[in-house]
Amino acid sequence: MTHSEARAGDHAVATHGLSKRYGRDSALESVDLRVPDGAVYVLVGVNGAGKSTLFKVLMNLERPDAGSAEVFGLDTGRDGPEVRAQVGYVPERQDAPYRSMTCAGLLRHASAFYPGWDHAYADHLARALGVRPEKRVGGLSKGETRRLQLVLALAHRPPLLLLDEPTDGLDPVVRRRALALLAEHLADAPTTVVVSTHHIHELESLADHVGVLRDGRLVAQMPREELQRTVRSYQLEVPDGWSPPPELQPTGLRRSSAGRDVRCTLVGDERDVARRLAATGARVRQASTLALEDAALAFLPEDPS
Ligand SMILES: Nc1ncnc2c1ncn2[C@@H]1O[C@H](COP(=O)(O)OP(=O)(O)OP(=O)(O)O)[C@@H](O)[C@H]1O
């Protein structure tokens, strides 16, 4: 089945009630991911939220305990090889197969598996990312391994990229270059991307959808404009002893020394928020848009314990 024949609906990736447990701990809990075709979907979550587990299930490297996952309409459990053929995957951790191969040898080896492998593009990426062809894979540093993984993921121009913390371990120079290469890649070829990161600001210019995982649950999932409309920074004038209504999920609360001026991030439709605040005696002086990272942080726990 081809990629275009296989896709169902407008979603390149969809999961249905996906759950995964490790012993008594739940890594994913009834996750219904929806990644629109052609989206750059940023997956956000604190350490241990379940991001890597989700990628592994999509790559059929882990079996879910309940639910299912589809990539371009293919079942990731049943059609694993067909799915993998259409995916460029950068795993969070590098397992160590092919350690004795050189980087050039591994790229040659990988090219045989992908009909769409573009040798000239692979050379371009390897040069741009400073991959040294003669170096043995087993002797690469964490950042060098990441560079090689990026070449492996992009060089066959797959319709789907699954990037699990793709800039983790890269030095600042290569990090910036890798993001520029990714932007070029997306401009050249229609590609859906699911990318997890702890550096959300790096994807400010690329992201168009955001999903937030918290303790294995997808607690928010929406287009970027909706996120930035729904989560806003408020400047308020409040009465003495005021505290925000908890249903507005207040975060980043700061008070002036006199206590009457408050800044905080609140979740909800702006008019509804203003109405609820008015009921507590607070007056909105200003509401403003947040950067992507600050907006996404509204759904993460402020206390890491
Ligand atoms: N192979 C495993 N065996 C046991 N527990 C696991 C295993 N893999 C993941 N977990 C647990 O599942 C939960 C989710 O882990 P996962 O690696 O998916 O989180 P993450 O969001 O990618 O975290 P990070 O941001 O730190 O990379 C964690 O509590 C983790 O300890």
Side-chain angles (χ1 to χ4, degrees):
M1 205 173 338
T2 66
H3 155 226
S4 52
E5 283 164 347
R7 61 183 57 190
D10 293 331
H11 292 114
V13 181
T15 68
H16 309 280
L18 197 68
S19 298
K20 172 74 190 169
R21 301 186 75 80
Y22 291 106
R24 295 172 63 186
D25 294 330
S26 179
L28 295 173
E29 193 75 48
S30 295
V31 170
D32 292 321
L33 189 78
R34 296 286 183 274
V35 181
D37 212 356
V40 177
Y41 187 115
V42 180
L43 195 58
V44 178
V46 300
N47 294 135
K51 303 178 297 294
S52 297
T53 304
L54 183 55
F55 284 115
K56 287 182 199 161
V57 172
L58 294 176
M59 290 299 290
N60 200 24
L61 299 170
E62 291 281 10
R63 289 262 171 193
D65 294 306
S68 61
E70 282 170 50
V71 167
F72 299 128
L74 297 164
D75 184 283
T76 57
R78 200 188 50 220
D79 310 311
E82 290 91 333
V83 169
R84 277 200 293 275
Q86 305 197 53
V87 176
Y89 174 46
V90 171
E92 183 191 19
R93 288 199 199 137
Q94 169 70 351
D95 305 326
Y98 313 116
R99 289 178 64 85
S100 61
M101 276 192 191
T102 62
C103 293
L106 180 55
L107 289 170
R108 243 190 334 272
H109 178 73
S111 71
F113 290 94
Y114 297 103
W117 188 273
D118 181 336
H119 289 276
Y121 186 43
D123 288 349
H124 165 73
L125 290 168
R127 261 196 310 276
L129 291 170
V131 172
R132 288 167 52 196
E134 74 291 353
K135 265 205 131 179
R136 299 233 169 256
V137 172
L140 297 178
S141 73
K142 178 178 174 184
E144 288 169 335
T145 303
R146 217 24 153 211
R147 298 174 190 206
L148 179 62
Q149 286 170 331
L150 284 163
V151 180
L152 288 165
L154 297 176
H156 59 110
R157 298 188 194 276
L160 176 64
L161 289 170
L162 298 179
L163 308 177
D164 195 354
E165 298 186 36
T167 60
D168 186 37
L170 297 181
D171 67 59
V173 175
V174 173
R175 178 179 280 248
R176 191 172 284 189
R177 195 169 300 157
L179 290 164
L181 286 168
L182 180 61
E184 269 170 37
H185 184 92
L186 300 182
D188 287 346
T191 310
T192 305
V193 186
V194 186
V195 51
S196 78
T197 182
H198 293 298
H199 307 281
I200 308 166
H201 60 92
E202 288 183 346
L203 297 166
E204 183 80 45
S205 63
L206 289 181
D208 50 33
H209 274 70
V210 178
V212 183
L213 272 174
R214 190 167 168 169
D215 295 333
R217 290 183 182 277
L218 197 61
V219 293
Q221 167 171 250
M222 61 192 90
R224 180 220 184 100
E225 310 79 63
E226 188 181 333
L227 177 73
Q228 288 183 308
R229 212 172 42 240
T230 311
V231 183
R232 313 207 89 189
S233 169
Y234 288 84
Q235 230 177 304
L236 310 173
E237 191 182 316
V238 301
D240 288 339
W242 180 83
S243 55
E247 73 275 14
L248 299 180
Q249 303 174 42
T251 49
L253 195 108
R254 278 178 289 138
R255 288 176 192 269
S256 64
S257 47
R260 302 296 298 268
D261 294 312
V262 166
R263 277 175 187 272
C264 59
T265 299
L266 300 172
V267 179
D269 169 75
E270 193 180 326
R271 269 184 302 189
D272 184 48
V273 168
R275 206 167 31 78
R276 285 170 191 267
L277 288 169
T280 67
R283 187 176 74 82
V284 176
R285 285 195 170 155
Q286 202 183 335
S288 44
T289 310
L290 287 160
L292 187 66
E293 175 153 325
D294 294 324
L297 281 175
F299 293 99
L300 298 181
E302 284 200 305
D303 176 1
S305 59

